[in-house]
């Protein structure tokens, strides 16, 4: 394939995009200011766990389709640049544009010197108006060139999920691209047609709609989760209540999709919490009542604590109690612990004097770095559960599904199980062991 692209920012989104493009023959230059990251990538080390990523990375580094560097000069030889730097939160929760702005300035310096047309693609999650009011004016000021004529800008948000990043990039539900220039949209579309052969469903719009779609997409999914966690609290209060039955029934209505309606301990990760807070701040700034978003956030923040409340109710005092935590990553199939609910739960339990043993198939090392000696990290689920007074399932890893009630009974000092992710059959487990599950009536 004759395309050559640069990708600025080699985090989850940037690196996955780079690996996938390169694996299908596009010449990719990946740029990141983190020198250690570049050294690791050159050795074929992706720095995070993601299915198939490591293997694919090694292949494209070896065959030279992906070159990585900390030097922006390499952008010069590419026809387009994807901005995939992170957009963290400021102290008040609003989006911090410092990284996107720094990357924009670096690209501008290249475009200024470059004779050929260059396309800038904003893949980072940016709050509506950022492209029109910040990115384009910055590019025009530094380059002294005109957007839409001498260079182009397209907003192209990313919808990949961690844990499925490679799959989602190769098989996206949709592509969203926004620009005021039809020519620039065509240029990006051409890349995607060559990459996918059959173009996925594509929405073409302007800059601001494309920016807004990303926030609405994430906010809607997060709201579905919080809504169901709200229903789970009601189910717990009614005799014989079970949120799973409620979900089964309502999703028979064709208008209600069952996806992202799993009640649990709440959402975590690097996206939903950050994006909802930024969206909330954006609404406030625009004079729009953000209550719907605030309720979603509030339900999510208090959801992990419902488990701690239950344990306190059960034991009265937590001093000296041993609690095991199965699952630490913010969701299965990743080693990412950013905003993981496990952290909230562990902190609260420690504060109440409990001793914690924890285990995760992939996130043990990250959690060891986070909590140090404050908790014990176990190498297996068996050693984690052993001798404890209560076990909480926090992340629904497949390997936990096979743990039968008899094993909990055999290993634990006091076999009490809290199923925070509805991993088990409530009827079966509650017959054999003290079993509590999110969304199941405590009167059962
Ligand atoms: C999310 C979106 O799903 C992606 O489309 C988006 O690209 C990404 O954010 C982003 O903005 O970069 P991700 O954070 O990787 O992806 O994870 P999800 O699979 O969405 O899960 C988020 C959290 O919701 C997890 O903690 C998960 O356990 C929780 N969740 C999910 C529930 O509690 N219940 C559900 O029914 C579904």
């Amino acid at each position: 394939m004759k395309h050559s692209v640069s990708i600025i920012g080699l985090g989850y989104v940037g690196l996955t995009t780079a690996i996938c493009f390169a694996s299908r023959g596009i010449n990719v230059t990946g740029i990141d200011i983190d020198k250690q990251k570049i050294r690791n990538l050159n050795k074929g080390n992706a720095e995070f766990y993601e299915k198939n990523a490591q293997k694919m990375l090694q292949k494209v580094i070896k065959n030279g389709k992906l070159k990585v560097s900390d030097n922006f000069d390499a952008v010069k030889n590419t026809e387009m640049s994807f901005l995939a730097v992170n957009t963290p939160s400021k102290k008040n929760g609003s989006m911090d544009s410092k990284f996107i702005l720094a990357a924009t300035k670096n690209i501008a310096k290249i475009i200024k010197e470059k004779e050929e047309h260059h396309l800038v693609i904003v893949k980072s999650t940016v709050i509506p108006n950022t492209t029109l009011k910040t990115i384009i004016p910055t590019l025009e000021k530094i380059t002294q060139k005109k957007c839409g004529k001498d260079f182009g800008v397209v907003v192209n948000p990313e919808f990949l999920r961690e844990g499925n990043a490679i799959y989602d990039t190769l098989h996206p539900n949709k592509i969203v691209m926004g620009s005021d220039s039809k020519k620039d949209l065509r240029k990006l579309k051409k890349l995607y047609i060559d990459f996918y052969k059959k173009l996925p469903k594509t929405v073409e719009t302007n800059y601001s709609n494309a920016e807004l779609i990303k926030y609405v997409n994430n906010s809607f999914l997060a709201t579905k989760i919080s809504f169901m966690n709200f229903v789970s609290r009601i189910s717990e209060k009614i005799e014989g209540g079970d949120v799973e039955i409620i979900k089964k029934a309502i999703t028979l209505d064709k208008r209600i999709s069952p996806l992202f309606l799993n009640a649990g301990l709440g959402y975590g990760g690097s996206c939903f919490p950050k994006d909802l807070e930024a969206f909330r701040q954006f609404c406030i700034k625009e004079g729009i009542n953000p209550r719907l978003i605030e309720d979603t956030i509030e339900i999510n923040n208090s959801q992990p604590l419902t488990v701690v409340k239950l344990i306190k109710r059960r034991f009265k005092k937590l001093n000296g109690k041993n609690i095991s935590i199965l699952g630490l990553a913010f969701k299965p199939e990743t080693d990412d612990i950013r905003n993981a609910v496990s952290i909230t739960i562990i902190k609260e339990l420690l504060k109440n004097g409990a001793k914690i043993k924890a285990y995760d198939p992939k996130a043990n090392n990250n959690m060891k770095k986070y909590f140090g000696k404050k908790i014990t990290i176990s190498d297996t689920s068996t050693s984690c559960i052993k001798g404890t007074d209560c076990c909480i399932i926090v992340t629904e890893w497949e390997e936990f599904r096979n743990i039968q009630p008899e094993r909990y009974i055999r290993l634990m000092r006091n076999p009490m199980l809290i199923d925070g992710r509805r991993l088990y059959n409530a009827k079966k487990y509650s017959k054999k062991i003290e079993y509590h599950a999110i969304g199941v009536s405590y009167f059962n």
Side-chain angles (χ1 to χ4, degrees):
M1 221 182 282
K2 56 189 181 313
H3 295 287
S4 84
V5 309
S6 41
I7 298 184
I8 321 298
L10 297 173
Y12 238 100
V13 168
L15 185 59
T16 306
T17 310
I19 293 172
C20 290
F21 278 175
S23 74
R24 291 196 179 165
I26 295 175
N27 293 308
V28 183
T29 303
I31 311 277
D32 200 291
I33 50 170
D34 183 342
K35 288 189 165 53
Q36 184 57 42
K37 178 178 279 182
I38 296 298
R39 276 195 290 274
N40 284 338
L41 290 174
N42 268 322
K43 285 186 216 145
N45 177 5
E47 285 194 335
F48 52 72
Y49 169 74
E50 184 68 45
K51 256 180 287 171
N52 300 326
Q54 191 79 12
K55 217 169 47 209
M56 287 171 77
L57 171 70
Q58 283 163 2
K59 197 168 163 195
V60 293
I61 288 282
K62 201 164 163 209
N63 69 18
K65 280 287 163 191
L66 171 59
K67 293 192 167 61
V68 292
S69 166
D70 61 353
N71 187 346
F72 266 83
D73 283 348
V75 170
K76 224 180 315 181
N77 306 321
T78 64
E79 55 181 303
M80 53 181 89
S81 300
F82 287 79
L83 284 177
V85 295
N86 58 337
T87 45
S89 318
K90 286 187 190 163
K91 269 211 175 81
N92 72 352
S94 63
M95 186 197 82
D96 192 340
S97 55
K98 65 179 176 211
F99 296 132
I100 192 102
L101 206 56
T104 302
K105 286 178 181 164
N106 279 322
I107 290 190
K109 286 181 208 147
I110 308 280
I111 297 178
K112 186 175 184 196
E113 304 302 327
K114 201 179 156 186
E115 278 174 26
E116 304 86 42
H117 182 273
H118 197 82
L119 189 65
V120 177
I121 298 128
V122 182
K123 213 166 222 334
S124 304
T125 301
V126 292
I127 213 77
N129 293 330
T130 305
T131 302
L132 261 181
K133 293 202 175 151
T134 306
I135 296 179
I136 293 175
T138 304
L139 287 168
E140 288 188 330
K141 188 166 167 221
I142 296 175
T143 59
Q144 292 295 303
K145 293 181 180 180
K146 192 94 197 91
C147 179
K149 183 171 155 269
D150 308 314
F151 67 89
V153 174
V154 179
V155 175
N156 174 219
E158 181 53 60
F159 301 96
L160 66 79
R161 297 160 297 169
E162 284 188 25
N164 294 281
I166 300 281
Y167 179 86
D168 284 355
T169 305
L170 298 176
H171 310 94
N173 292 323
K174 60 175 179 266
I175 292 176
V176 173
M177 45 174 92
S179 178
D180 289 353
S181 155
K182 288 241 157 34
K183 194 182 83 197
D184 293 334
L185 285 173
R186 267 203 306 277
K187 203 167 169 192
L188 181 60
K189 208 154 123 183
K190 173 81 177 67
L191 173 86
Y192 281 134
I193 289 171
D194 291 344
F195 177 66
Y196 288 114
K197 303 291 178 262
K198 188 174 176 305
L199 191 70
K201 282 181 194 150
T202 299
V203 175
E204 290 179 47
T205 177
N206 56 27
Y207 298 119
S208 307
N209 280 330
E211 291 167 328
L212 180 58
I213 286 166
K214 170 71 189 187
Y215 282 93
V216 173
N217 213 101
N218 274 358
S219 300
F220 188 69
L221 291 171
T223 303
K224 286 184 79 174
I225 297 170
S226 278
F227 180 80
M228 231 35 204
N229 284 334
F230 163 73
V231 176
S232 80
R233 293 176 190 184
I234 302 169
S235 307
E236 287 163 12
K237 293 282 177 213
I238 59 171
E239 189 132 9
D242 185 351
V243 70
E244 287 284 295
I245 306 285
I246 315 286
K247 176 185 158 191
K248 190 175 164 194
I250 62 169
T251 55
L252 289 176
D253 186 325
K254 284 198 172 60
R255 294 168 297 179
I256 304 177
S257 144
L259 301 177
F260 277 67
L261 284 184
N262 294 325
L265 295 173
Y267 58 79
S270 65
C271 306
F272 286 177
K274 166 178 83 74
D275 290 351
L276 265 83
E277 198 49 57
F279 197 38
R280 171 178 174 261
Q281 291 296 336
F282 174 73
C283 292
I284 293 171
K285 195 171 134 258
E286 296 299 325
I288 298 158
N289 187 336
R291 198 135 87 214
L292 183 61
I293 301 298
E294 283 174 350
D295 285 346
T296 296
I297 295 172
E298 196 286 317
I299 290 172
N300 197 61
N301 289 345
S302 50
Q303 189 67 3
L305 301 177
T306 57
V307 170
V308 181
K309 270 193 204 142
L310 168 68
I311 299 177
K312 277 164 87 175
R313 224 173 28 237
R314 170 69 171 70
F315 290 118
K316 310 286 183 282
K317 278 210 169 84
L318 289 187
N319 251 334
K321 292 285 176 225
N322 292 312
I323 315 267
S324 43
I325 310 280
L326 289 184
L328 302 168
F330 85 96
K331 66 173 191 177
E333 298 303 328
T334 177
D335 62 357
D336 197 344
I337 57 162
R338 285 175 291 177
N339 289 308
V341 296
S342 61
I343 294 177
T344 313
I345 294 172
I346 292 172
K347 277 187 179 163
E348 197 61 22
L349 289 171
L350 286 175
K351 220 164 50 190
N352 282 279
K355 285 196 188 129
I356 305 293
K357 279 211 278 175
Y359 166 73
D360 188 281
K362 293 288 177 205
N364 270 356
N365 281 342
N366 284 339
M367 216 35 126
K368 221 176 255 170
K369 278 186 216 146
Y370 190 93
F371 277 109
K373 292 205 162 69
K374 286 191 191 127
I375 65 172
T376 304
I377 299 285
S378 306
D379 291 335
T380 61
S381 58
T382 303
S383 59
C384 181
I385 302 165
K386 207 168 177 181
T388 56
D389 301 296
C390 171
C391 172
I392 314 172
I393 307 282
V394 177
T395 315
E396 65 277 32
W397 284 94
E398 265 314 301
E399 69 168 70
F400 303 150
R401 207 177 284 278
N402 301 324
I403 310 178
Q404 296 302 316
E406 290 76 13
R407 194 135 136 241
Y408 287 105
I409 295 169
R410 190 160 44 80
L411 290 168
M412 292 176 74
R413 185 162 77 178
N414 171 62
M416 171 186 177
L417 179 60
I418 301 181
D419 186 352
R421 297 289 179 183
R422 301 303 303 263
L423 206 56
Y424 302 122
N425 180 314
K427 273 210 177 96
K428 175 177 161 189
Y429 275 64
S430 54
K431 268 189 204 139
K432 302 195 170 168
I433 183 176
E434 183 183 344
Y435 175 84
H436 303 267
I438 289 291
V440 175
S441 159
Y442 295 141
F443 306 110
N444 257 340

